[in-house]
Amino acid sequence: MTAHTAQTAGAERAGAVDGLPWIEDAGQIAPQDARTLSKVFFDRLQVLEEGTPEHQYARNTLIEMNLSLVRFAASRFRNRGSGDMEDIVQVGTIGLIKAIDRFDLSREVEFTSFAVPYIVGEIKRFFRDTTWSVHVPRRLQELRVDIAKAKESLAVGLDRDPTVHELAEHLGLDDEEITEGIVAANGYTAGSLDMPTDTADSVGRAAGGRTFADVLGEPDPAMETVENLHTLAPLLDELDDRERRIIEMRFGLELTQAQIGEELGISQMHVSRLLSRILLKLRSGMFTQD
């Protein structure tokens, strides 16, 4: 549809906004015609009251007519990261809307030149905020980029990788800030547990079949036993002589309750009650220690 056709159709539509052509499908307008029509719509948009149907029509039509700018900008990021193209276009559309709301014809600048930086900026922000494997503050995300550029710049003159102190001097920051940025950069990508741990040969093949998952440590049940014994030792010292003797016979010598009763000259039932009381005291003490 050309600008002339759109204006002719608009004149025949009773629903056309005063001073604006009625466009049935703004997304089908050719980019060259969109530039011409955009000037007409921007001129009317500035005098229409915000929130009215007329203002909404003009603004929505401008968005639809200029979506080709978003698709053009998004195509530059097609092979970057794992971002879905539909998501990139949606994010870029946010930039387009911001550009439309802030554009002023009096600046005598083409809308395309004004809008593209907004669109690209939103897309870059999307990748910056969503492609990190570990969430880190935006300050450190931006610092990672500065450090990478500084490394590349300094390496040319030094013929080696710059030190932390050299990077700090170049960027006007403290050594601690550079170190923090380098550590945070480790969160940008995450290695797979299926990645080989062995050194690759000259053609990039892993020398062995072990992966990170194969050598990943697991909780050692014996460690929990050691911790429990370490906690239990001072509690045993708090028992009286008979209580300690009963514990030793039951769990050290592994005597039955009947055998303990014979040894102490008491009934098996009495031994059972004593054991229950002693174990309750020890268990309560261990919970308190935790």
Side-chain angles (χ1 to χ4, degrees), residues 3 29 105 132 158 228 245 259:
I29 296 179
L105 281 174
W132 284 70
L158 297 172
N228 289 337
R245 188 181 177 191
Q259 290 171 328

Side-chain angles (χ1 to χ4, degrees), residues 191-208:
S192 170
L193 291 177
D194 295 324
M195 183 183 299
T197 59
D198 300 308
T199 305
D201 59 21
S202 58
V203 294
R205 294 174 301 196

Side-chain angles (χ1 to χ4, degrees), residues 52-69:
T52 61
E54 294 79 7
H55 184 277
Q56 185 176 1
Y57 165 72
R59 184 171 180 267
N60 290 346
T61 303
L62 280 168
I63 294 171
E64 294 177 21
M65 281 195 301
N66 290 283
L67 282 176
S68 58
L69 292 176

Side-chain angles (χ1 to χ4, degrees), residues 140-201:
L140 294 178
Q141 294 181 22
E142 295 172 348
L143 180 57
R144 169 188 169 274
V145 176
D146 293 338
I147 290 175
K149 291 179 180 178
K151 278 185 176 180
E152 185 176 352
S153 176
L154 291 173
V156 174
L158 297 172
D159 198 25
R160 59 172 173 79
D161 287 338
T163 64
V164 169
H165 185 67
E166 288 167 341
L167 287 169
E169 285 189 339
H170 182 79
L171 295 173
L173 300 172
D174 297 332
D175 290 4
E176 293 77 9
E177 292 178 280
I178 297 299
T179 302
E180 186 182 14
I182 293 174
V183 171
N186 293 329
Y188 187 70
T189 56
S192 170
L193 291 177
D194 295 324
M195 183 183 299
T197 59
D198 300 308
T199 305
D201 59 21

Side-chain angles (χ1 to χ4, degrees), residues 20-219:
L20 288 176
W22 177 267
I23 301 177
E24 190 69 35
D25 189 353
Q28 297 300 316
I29 296 179
Q32 184 174 358
D33 291 336
R35 285 195 291 270
T36 302
L37 282 169
S38 290
K39 294 179 181 179
V40 177
F41 275 78
F42 272 120
D43 185 57
R44 290 292 298 145
L45 188 66
Q46 293 180 349
V47 298
L48 290 172
E49 183 179 353
E50 188 173 350
T52 61
E54 294 79 7
H55 184 277
Q56 185 176 1
Y57 165 72
R59 184 171 180 267
N60 290 346
T61 303
L62 280 168
I63 294 171
E64 294 177 21
M65 281 195 301
N66 290 283
L67 282 176
S68 58
L69 292 176
V70 177
R71 290 189 288 270
F72 169 75
S75 65
R76 297 165 51 185
F77 298 86
R78 185 181 303 276
N79 298 319
R80 178 173 175 177
S82 57
D84 185 87
M85 198 61 191
E86 183 178 349
D87 293 336
I88 298 173
V89 171
Q90 288 182 357
V91 171
T93 302
I94 295 174
L96 172 64
I97 294 172
K98 289 182 178 180
I100 290 173
D101 291 340
R102 299 172 186 177
F103 184 65
D104 187 350
L105 281 174
S106 63
R107 297 181 180 181
E108 298 183 354
V109 177
E110 284 287 336
F111 176 67
T112 53
S113 302
F114 181 82
V116 168
Y118 278 91
I119 298 169
V120 172
E122 287 295 327
I123 295 175
K124 286 183 175 180
R125 187 176 296 110
F126 165 75
F127 278 104
R128 182 182 62 195
D129 292 345
T130 61
T131 56
W132 284 70
S133 298
V134 178
H135 177 71
V136 299
R138 180 167 295 179
R139 172 182 64 86
L140 294 178
Q141 294 181 22
E142 295 172 348
L143 180 57
R144 169 188 169 274
V145 176
D146 293 338
I147 290 175
K149 291 179 180 178
K151 278 185 176 180
E152 185 176 352
S153 176
L154 291 173
V156 174
L158 297 172
D159 198 25
R160 59 172 173 79
D161 287 338
T163 64
V164 169
H165 185 67
E166 288 167 341
L167 287 169
E169 285 189 339
H170 182 79
L171 295 173
L173 300 172
D174 297 332
D175 290 4
E176 293 77 9
E177 292 178 280
I178 297 299
T179 302
E180 186 182 14
I182 293 174
V183 171
N186 293 329
Y188 187 70
T189 56
S192 170
L193 291 177
D194 295 324
M195 183 183 299
T197 59
D198 300 308
T199 305
D201 59 21
S202 58
V203 294
R205 294 174 301 196
R210 293 194 311 168
T211 66
F212 282 108
D214 294 329
V215 297
L216 189 65
E218 297 180 354

